[in-house]
Amino acid sequence: MIPPSPRSSEPTVIEAGAWADVLVRRRLVHAAVLAPTGQWLVQGRPGGPVRVLAGPADVVALAASIQLRIRSTRPESR
């Protein structure tokens, strides 16, 4: 697998919001909400624990880790 190229800037709230929306729409997480403090509250499944992510970079990192997990479990990637 090709390693990701380094980012030239930090993820923005808009980018994190877009990724959070994709994760929820694709049912990869149950909920992802931006708190007034700038933190993100993410719940993996209904009734499950809520993770507190520090900011946009953590949301993007979560999306990347989910993508990596999905890709690594596909039969064609083995």
Side-chain angles (χ1 to χ4, degrees), residues 30-47:
H30 175 66
V33 178
L34 175 60
T37 60
Q39 297 173 314
W40 287 81
L41 308 177
V42 179
Q43 188 176 35
R45 56 181 166 40

Side-chain angles (χ1 to χ4, degrees), residues 12 21 28 59-60 63 65 68:
T12 64
D21 185 53
L28 298 168
V59 175
V60 173
S65 68
L68 183 61

